[in-house]
Amino acid sequence: MSEKAKLTLGDKTIELPVFTGTEGEKAIDITKLRAESGYVTIDSGYMNTGACTSAITFLDGEKGILKYRGYEIEELAEKSTFTEVSSLVITGKVPTADELKSFEAKIAEHSKIPAAIETMIKAFPKDAHPMGVLSSNLSALSAFYPDLLVQDLTEAQRSDVILQLMGQLKVLATSAYRHSQGQSAIKSDPKLDYCSDFIHMMTGKEVDKEVAKALDILLILHVDHEQNCSTSTVRMVGSSKANPFATVSAGVDALWGPLHGGANQAVLEMLEEIHKEGIGYKEFLTRVKDKNSSSRLMGFGHRVYKNFDPRAKIIKKACDSVLAKLGVKDPLLDIARGLEEVALQDPYFVERKLYPNVDFYSGIIYRALGIPTNMFTVMFALGRLPGWMAQWKEMIEQPGFKICRPRQIYTGELNKKLNR
Ligand SMILES: CC(C)(COP(=O)(O)OP(=O)(O)OC[C@H]1O[C@@H](n2cnc3c(N)ncnc32)[C@H](O)[C@@H]1OP(=O)(O)O)[C@@H](O)C(=O)NCCC(=O)NCCS
């Protein structure tokens, strides 16, 4: 007999079905709760809410496991490439060599933007944050494809939009960066792989293979992370069948915040501050533990991981080898290592199960690769795009698809009158 949960409200008992995922996770299905009882649920910060079912990513925060489409992140980071993982996440299966070639060729074909957007990029102040510029330009791109109505798109057209976004995001990000440096944009080179092309378009320099490989691993680690803030935003906005460019623009905005993707920039700024001011690790930790202070140990803690973030483990290892291969000696890496060591022994962090997350070491690698600090979150967006769009496509194609529209419980004033 299938498992059921019983909820007693006064003298009424309601049976709620229990839904079990393929990895054994369980959820109480409350789809009929309101209709049968008149009640809704309250779950601030969605700490207990499964907003959807999804076959894309599995993560076990207690054990520190992350898998895309059933493949462990460790194996993908070691043996795959960003474009292959993107295709896997979007389509659900590892592409054949021919499929991957065609996937990459389509991204290359789309790696250009309308001339008017190029002009628009040049109109932004040079010191604008690249995430703001990226989001605005993505939103502006929607104006160039007015016929892109989600409800009318075929499956093939939905896939094509994703590849178009992967190509165009690369151009938008690098062109905005070049503008901020007072330099003109560099055209995409279809002969280069995705990461080499990105680095070439950004720097104009010949690309070191080690640098491109390191960036490729970082992007693989960022591809998807189930229902995080930006992915949930993409699902929420996309559920109104909004234009896909506008939908991704909203995802970029959500990612930008320091509690989410913006943490990678915040970590580096924190490490720089410690370095510059010569603050001791223990002294710094006292500051972040103080409830009267708003500062946190950036790059530590996670809503889901209550153990090591498996991505952080891979990045920490990659960090050592990338810096060694590039011959970079970075004092910030020593500070990060020292802070981590002290924090992991501190009862405050131990009791709250706060471990380094993906952002703790990623900035040090980006820095070693020559990527400026305010571009870090853009790199995250570049990596996360295939995950956002895989989730968008999955949602649109799921039977029983509905617009996302949570409920609330009103706690405001009653029966007020203007008395005019
Ligand atoms: C990621 C994050 C937003 C998760 O937040 P959350 O699940 O809502 O957890 P909370 O903010 O409720 O934190 C739980 C407790 O740990 C503390 N805590 C969490 N992260 C902390 C950090 N990085 N530094 C110091 N204290 C932290 C909170 O103050 C809280 O303490 P309390 O129980 O005494 O009030 C949070 O850990 C954080 O702000 N981390 C730093 C930013 C970051 O690295 N973000 C990238 C995530 S990939």
Side-chain angles (χ1 to χ4, degrees):
M1 216 182 77
S2 56
E3 198 180 344
K4 297 243 190 280
K6 282 187 181 163
L7 177 68
T8 304
L9 294 161
D11 54 5
K12 196 172 173 193
T13 297
I14 297 163
E15 283 205 339
L16 299 165
V18 170
F19 185 88
T20 308
T22 48
E23 290 269 6
E25 296 162 291
K26 296 199 171 194
I28 299 167
D29 180 349
I30 58 159
T31 313
K32 297 208 166 82
L33 177 67
R34 189 169 169 275
E36 290 190 8
S37 69
Y39 286 61
V40 296
T41 55
I42 290 254
D43 187 21
S44 168
Y46 306 120
M47 305 278 285
N48 309 279
T49 296
C52 59
T53 58
S54 175
I56 300 172
T57 291
F58 170 72
L59 81 88
D60 182 330
E62 302 297 327
K63 296 194 184 123
I65 295 172
L66 172 63
K67 295 183 198 171
Y68 300 155
R69 299 284 189 185
Y71 295 88
E72 284 181 356
I73 191 67
E74 291 80 3
E75 189 184 13
L76 294 173
E78 188 189 334
K79 300 181 186 158
S80 187
T81 62
F82 172 60
T83 42
E84 188 184 46
V85 170
S86 301
S87 173
L88 165 69
V89 163
I90 295 162
T91 65
K93 61 182 189 56
V94 175
T96 61
D98 281 348
E99 283 165 348
L100 182 59
K101 224 167 142 186
S102 131
F103 185 88
E104 289 171 342
K106 278 194 190 150
I107 295 174
E109 204 181 293
H110 285 303
S111 294
K112 51 184 183 282
I113 51 174
I117 298 279
E118 286 173 11
T119 309
M120 211 175 117
I121 290 174
K122 291 182 197 145
F124 280 92
K126 292 211 165 52
D127 60 355
H129 195 286
M131 286 296 273
V133 179
L134 183 61
S135 159
S136 311
N137 285 317
L138 277 164
S139 207
L141 263 184
S142 66
F144 291 80
Y145 309 102
D147 300 332
L148 207 69
L149 301 174
V150 173
Q151 58 270 33
D152 298 340
L153 296 181
T154 61
E155 204 271 342
Q157 287 167 327
R158 282 193 286 271
S159 298
D160 202 51
V161 170
I162 299 178
L163 300 182
Q164 179 173 348
L165 271 156
M166 285 183 72
Q168 291 187 318
L169 193 71
K170 186 169 56 167
V171 185
L172 292 178
T174 52
S175 307
Y177 171 70
R178 302 271 306 169
H179 167 66
S180 74
Q181 302 299 302
Q183 295 164 327
S184 49
I186 294 174
K187 282 201 171 8
S188 163
D189 179 350
K191 292 190 291 304
L192 295 177
D193 63 83
Y194 194 85
C195 287
S196 300
D197 193 30
F198 181 88
I199 296 168
H200 180 248
M201 290 168 80
M202 202 177 124
T203 63
K205 294 188 189 138
E206 206 175 304
V207 183
D208 182 310
K209 272 199 174 133
E210 297 290 351
V211 170
K213 181 64 205 154
L215 181 60
D216 202 80
I217 294 175
L218 280 172
L219 296 194
I220 291 174
L221 299 180
H222 285 88
V223 166
D224 197 49
H225 213 232
E226 52 122 294
Q227 306 314 314
N228 55 81
C229 177
S230 57
T231 302
S232 302
T233 301
V234 165
R235 277 188 177 256
M236 173 69 83
V237 175
S239 81
S240 73
K241 301 214 167 157
N243 178 287
F245 292 91
T247 302
V248 173
S249 165
V252 167
D253 289 332
L255 185 71
W256 189 4
L259 297 190
H260 189 16
N264 55 15
Q265 175 174 343
V267 168
L268 209 94
E269 287 163 356
M270 172 187 81
L271 296 174
E272 273 169 345
E273 184 196 345
I274 294 173
H275 182 52
K276 211 165 115 205
E277 293 178 19
I279 312 170
Y281 304 143
K282 287 205 170 139
E283 185 192 335
F284 189 77
L285 292 188
T286 305
R287 198 188 291 181
V288 301
K289 290 187 289 184
D290 180 359
K291 291 288 162 212
N292 297 317
S293 127
S294 59
S295 51
R296 286 196 159 189
L297 179 55
M298 299 312 285
F300 254 70
H302 197 274
R303 170 60 61 79
V304 184
Y305 291 119
K306 301 301 166 201
N307 197 326
F308 269 97
D309 178 337
R311 301 167 303 170
K313 278 193 192 167
I314 300 171
I315 292 187
K316 191 177 174 187
K317 218 165 117 198
C319 210
D320 290 331
S321 76
V322 169
L323 267 63
K325 275 182 197 150
L326 299 178
V328 174
K329 184 108 191 54
D330 191 341
L332 299 194
L333 178 59
D334 297 332
I335 294 177
R337 283 203 197 103
L339 260 184
E340 179 191 345
E341 200 185 323
V342 179
L344 290 177
Q345 287 166 12
D346 187 310
Y348 175 97
F349 291 89
V350 175
E351 280 157 20
R352 289 169 179 76
K353 299 189 178 166
L354 302 171
Y355 290 87
N357 60 48
V358 70
D359 297 312
F360 196 65
Y361 285 101
S362 63
I364 296 172
I365 305 195
Y366 288 138
R367 203 164 111 106
L369 303 185
I371 295 168
T373 314
N374 69 355
M375 280 292 283
F376 290 1
T377 317
V378 172
M379 308 310 293
F380 194 150
L382 198 70
R384 184 55 55 87
L385 177 69
W388 284 336
M389 294 317 282
Q391 299 263 355
W392 168 81
K393 188 167 177 290
E394 180 184 62
M395 174 185 71
I396 300 278
E397 292 171 1
Q398 220 156 25
F401 159 80
K402 282 198 178 343
I403 186 170
C404 298
R405 203 300 187 185
R407 293 269 174 171
Q408 65 156 32
I409 296 295
Y410 176 71
T411 57
E413 302 279 2
L414 295 175
N415 307 326
K416 303 278 275 187
K417 291 253 185 276
L418 284 174
N419 292 328
R420 282 181 191 155

Short mmCIF file of all heavy atoms in Angstrom, two decimals, residues 353-380:
data_model
loop_
_atom_site.label_atom_id
_atom_site.label_comp_id
_atom_site.label_asym_id
_atom_site.label_seq_id
_atom_site.Cartn_x
_atom_site.Cartn_y
_atom_site.Cartn_z
N LYS A 353 26.86 23.63 11.17
CA LYS A 353 27.21 22.87 9.96
C LYS A 353 27.51 23.78 8.78
O LYS A 353 26.93 23.66 7.69
CB LYS A 353 26.10 21.87 9.62
CG LYS A 353 25.87 20.86 10.72
CD LYS A 353 24.94 19.77 10.30
CE LYS A 353 24.79 18.75 11.42
NZ LYS A 353 23.70 17.84 11.25
N LEU A 354 28.37 24.75 9.03
CA LEU A 354 28.75 25.69 7.98
C LEU A 354 30.09 25.27 7.38
O LEU A 354 31.10 25.23 8.08
CB LEU A 354 28.85 27.12 8.56
CG LEU A 354 27.58 27.67 9.23
CD1 LEU A 354 27.88 28.97 9.95
CD2 LEU A 354 26.49 27.88 8.20
N TYR A 355 30.08 24.94 6.12
CA TYR A 355 31.27 24.47 5.40
C TYR A 355 31.54 25.40 4.22
O TYR A 355 30.65 26.14 3.79
CB TYR A 355 31.03 23.05 4.87
CG TYR A 355 30.98 22.00 5.95
CD1 TYR A 355 29.79 21.72 6.60
CD2 TYR A 355 32.12 21.30 6.31
CE1 TYR A 355 29.74 20.75 7.60
CE2 TYR A 355 32.08 20.34 7.30
CZ TYR A 355 30.88 20.07 7.94
OH TYR A 355 30.85 19.12 8.92
N PRO A 356 32.75 25.32 3.64
CA PRO A 356 32.99 26.15 2.45
C PRO A 356 32.05 25.74 1.31
O PRO A 356 31.79 24.54 1.14
CB PRO A 356 34.44 25.83 2.06
CG PRO A 356 35.02 25.01 3.15
CD PRO A 356 33.91 24.49 3.98
N ASN A 357 31.53 26.71 0.61
CA ASN A 357 30.68 26.40 -0.55
C ASN A 357 31.44 26.68 -1.84
O ASN A 357 32.62 27.05 -1.82
CB ASN A 357 29.34 27.16 -0.47
CG ASN A 357 29.55 28.67 -0.43
OD1 ASN A 357 30.31 29.22 -1.24
ND2 ASN A 357 28.89 29.35 0.49
N VAL A 358 30.75 26.53 -2.97
CA VAL A 358 31.38 26.64 -4.29
C VAL A 358 32.13 27.96 -4.50
O VAL A 358 33.09 28.05 -5.24
CB VAL A 358 30.31 26.42 -5.39
CG1 VAL A 358 29.33 27.58 -5.47
CG2 VAL A 358 30.92 26.15 -6.73
N ASP A 359 31.67 29.01 -3.79
CA ASP A 359 32.24 30.33 -4.03
C ASP A 359 33.51 30.61 -3.24
O ASP A 359 34.16 31.63 -3.47
CB ASP A 359 31.20 31.41 -3.70
CG ASP A 359 30.00 31.30 -4.61
OD1 ASP A 359 30.22 31.18 -5.82
OD2 ASP A 359 28.86 31.31 -4.12
N PHE A 360 33.83 29.75 -2.29
CA PHE A 360 34.96 30.08 -1.40
C PHE A 360 36.29 30.12 -2.15
O PHE A 360 37.10 31.01 -1.94
CB PHE A 360 35.01 29.10 -0.22
CG PHE A 360 35.87 29.61 0.92
CD1 PHE A 360 35.51 30.75 1.62
CD2 PHE A 360 37.04 28.97 1.27
CE1 PHE A 360 36.31 31.24 2.66
CE2 PHE A 360 37.85 29.45 2.31
CZ PHE A 360 37.48 30.58 3.00
N TYR A 361 36.50 29.14 -3.03
CA TYR A 361 37.79 29.11 -3.74
C TYR A 361 37.69 29.52 -5.21
O TYR A 361 38.71 29.74 -5.86
CB TYR A 361 38.40 27.70 -3.67
CG TYR A 361 38.99 27.39 -2.31
CD1 TYR A 361 38.32 26.61 -1.38
CD2 TYR A 361 40.24 27.89 -1.94
CE1 TYR A 361 38.86 26.34 -0.13
CE2 TYR A 361 40.80 27.62 -0.69
CZ TYR A 361 40.10 26.85 0.21
OH TYR A 361 40.64 26.59 1.44
N SER A 362 36.46 29.60 -5.75
CA SER A 362 36.36 29.85 -7.20
C SER A 362 36.99 31.19 -7.60
O SER A 362 37.66 31.30 -8.63
CB SER A 362 34.90 29.78 -7.67
OG SER A 362 34.14 30.78 -7.06
N GLY A 363 36.83 32.21 -6.76
CA GLY A 363 37.37 33.54 -7.08
C GLY A 363 38.88 33.53 -7.23
O GLY A 363 39.43 34.26 -8.05
N ILE A 364 39.53 32.67 -6.42
CA ILE A 364 41.00 32.63 -6.49
C ILE A 364 41.44 32.07 -7.85
O ILE A 364 42.40 32.54 -8.45
CB ILE A 364 41.56 31.82 -5.31
CG1 ILE A 364 41.21 32.56 -4.02
CG2 ILE A 364 43.07 31.65 -5.43
CD1 ILE A 364 41.53 31.82 -2.77
N ILE A 365 40.67 31.08 -8.34
CA ILE A 365 41.00 30.55 -9.68
C ILE A 365 40.71 31.62 -10.74
O ILE A 365 41.54 31.87 -11.61
CB ILE A 365 40.22 29.26 -10.01
CG1 ILE A 365 40.41 28.20 -8.93
CG2 ILE A 365 40.63 28.73 -11.38
CD1 ILE A 365 39.98 26.82 -9.32
N TYR A 366 39.55 32.23 -10.66
CA TYR A 366 39.22 33.26 -11.67
C TYR A 366 40.33 34.32 -11.70
O TYR A 366 40.76 34.77 -12.76
CB TYR A 366 37.90 33.96 -11.33
CG TYR A 366 36.65 33.11 -11.55
CD1 TYR A 366 35.61 33.11 -10.62
CD2 TYR A 366 36.50 32.31 -12.68
CE1 TYR A 366 34.47 32.34 -10.81
CE2 TYR A 366 35.37 31.53 -12.86
CZ TYR A 366 34.35 31.55 -11.93
OH TYR A 366 33.23 30.80 -12.12
N ARG A 367 40.78 34.72 -10.52
CA ARG A 367 41.84 35.72 -10.42
C ARG A 367 43.12 35.23 -11.09
O ARG A 367 43.75 35.96 -11.85
CB ARG A 367 42.10 35.98 -8.93
CG ARG A 367 42.72 37.28 -8.61
CD ARG A 367 42.50 37.46 -7.13
NE ARG A 367 43.76 37.37 -6.41
CZ ARG A 367 44.36 38.43 -5.89
NH1 ARG A 367 43.85 39.62 -6.05
NH2 ARG A 367 45.47 38.29 -5.21
N ALA A 368 43.45 33.95 -10.84
CA ALA A 368 44.67 33.40 -11.44
C ALA A 368 44.53 33.33 -12.97
O ALA A 368 45.51 33.43 -13.70
CB ALA A 368 44.94 32.01 -10.88
N LEU A 369 43.28 33.17 -13.43
CA LEU A 369 43.06 33.10 -14.88
C LEU A 369 43.03 34.50 -15.51
O LEU A 369 42.82 34.64 -16.70
CB LEU A 369 41.74 32.38 -15.19
CG LEU A 369 41.56 30.95 -14.64
CD1 LEU A 369 40.26 30.35 -15.14
CD2 LEU A 369 42.73 30.06 -15.04
N GLY A 370 43.14 35.52 -14.68
CA GLY A 370 43.17 36.89 -15.20
C GLY A 370 41.78 37.49 -15.35
O GLY A 370 41.61 38.50 -16.05
N ILE A 371 40.78 36.88 -14.69
CA ILE A 371 39.42 37.42 -14.80
C ILE A 371 39.19 38.41 -13.66
O ILE A 371 39.40 38.06 -12.49
CB ILE A 371 38.39 36.26 -14.78
CG1 ILE A 371 38.60 35.41 -16.03
CG2 ILE A 371 36.95 36.78 -14.70
CD1 ILE A 371 37.89 34.09 -16.04
N PRO A 372 38.77 39.65 -13.98
CA PRO A 372 38.63 40.64 -12.92
C PRO A 372 37.47 40.33 -11.96
O PRO A 372 36.49 39.68 -12.34
CB PRO A 372 38.36 41.94 -13.68
CG PRO A 372 37.97 41.54 -15.04
CD PRO A 372 38.48 40.17 -15.30
N THR A 373 37.61 40.82 -10.73
CA THR A 373 36.66 40.47 -9.66
C THR A 373 35.20 40.73 -10.02
O THR A 373 34.34 39.90 -9.73
CB THR A 373 37.03 41.28 -8.39
OG1 THR A 373 38.43 41.18 -8.21
CG2 THR A 373 36.33 40.74 -7.17
N ASN A 374 34.91 41.87 -10.64
CA ASN A 374 33.48 42.14 -10.87
C ASN A 374 32.90 41.30 -12.01
O ASN A 374 31.71 41.36 -12.29
CB ASN A 374 33.20 43.65 -11.04
CG ASN A 374 33.76 44.20 -12.32
OD1 ASN A 374 34.45 43.50 -13.07
ND2 ASN A 374 33.48 45.46 -12.59
N MET A 375 33.75 40.48 -12.66
CA MET A 375 33.25 39.57 -13.69
C MET A 375 32.95 38.17 -13.12
O MET A 375 32.42 37.31 -13.82
CB MET A 375 34.28 39.42 -14.82
CG MET A 375 34.29 40.54 -15.83
SD MET A 375 32.79 40.58 -16.84
CE MET A 375 33.10 39.23 -17.99
N PHE A 376 33.30 37.94 -11.84
CA PHE A 376 33.14 36.59 -11.29
C PHE A 376 31.70 36.08 -11.39
O PHE A 376 31.46 34.94 -11.75
CB PHE A 376 33.55 36.55 -9.81
CG PHE A 376 35.02 36.70 -9.55
CD1 PHE A 376 35.93 36.89 -10.58
CD2 PHE A 376 35.50 36.67 -8.25
CE1 PHE A 376 37.29 37.04 -10.33
CE2 PHE A 376 36.85 36.81 -7.99
CZ PHE A 376 37.73 37.01 -9.02
N THR A 377 30.75 36.94 -11.05
CA THR A 377 29.36 36.47 -11.03
C THR A 377 28.85 36.26 -12.46
O THR A 377 27.98 35.43 -12.71
CB THR A 377 28.46 37.42 -10.20
OG1 THR A 377 29.18 37.77 -9.02
CG2 THR A 377 27.17 36.77 -9.80
N VAL A 378 29.44 37.01 -13.40
CA VAL A 378 29.10 36.79 -14.81
C VAL A 378 29.55 35.39 -15.22
O VAL A 378 28.85 34.67 -15.96
CB VAL A 378 29.77 37.87 -15.71
CG1 VAL A 378 29.59 37.55 -17.18
CG2 VAL A 378 29.22 39.25 -15.38
N MET A 379 30.73 34.96 -14.71
CA MET A 379 31.22 33.62 -15.02
C MET A 379 30.25 32.57 -14.48
O MET A 379 29.99 31.54 -15.11
CB MET A 379 32.61 33.37 -14.41
CG MET A 379 33.64 34.42 -14.73
SD MET A 379 33.75 34.81 -16.46
CE MET A 379 34.37 33.29 -17.10
N PHE A 380 29.71 32.84 -13.31
CA PHE A 380 28.72 31.95 -12.69
C PHE A 380 27.49 31.87 -13.61
O PHE A 380 26.98 30.78 -13.90
CB PHE A 380 28.36 32.51 -11.30
CG PHE A 380 27.62 31.57 -10.37
CD1 PHE A 380 27.79 31.68 -8.99
CD2 PHE A 380 26.76 30.60 -10.84
CE1 PHE A 380 27.12 30.84 -8.11
CE2 PHE A 380 26.08 29.76 -9.96
CZ PHE A 380 26.25 29.89 -8.60
#
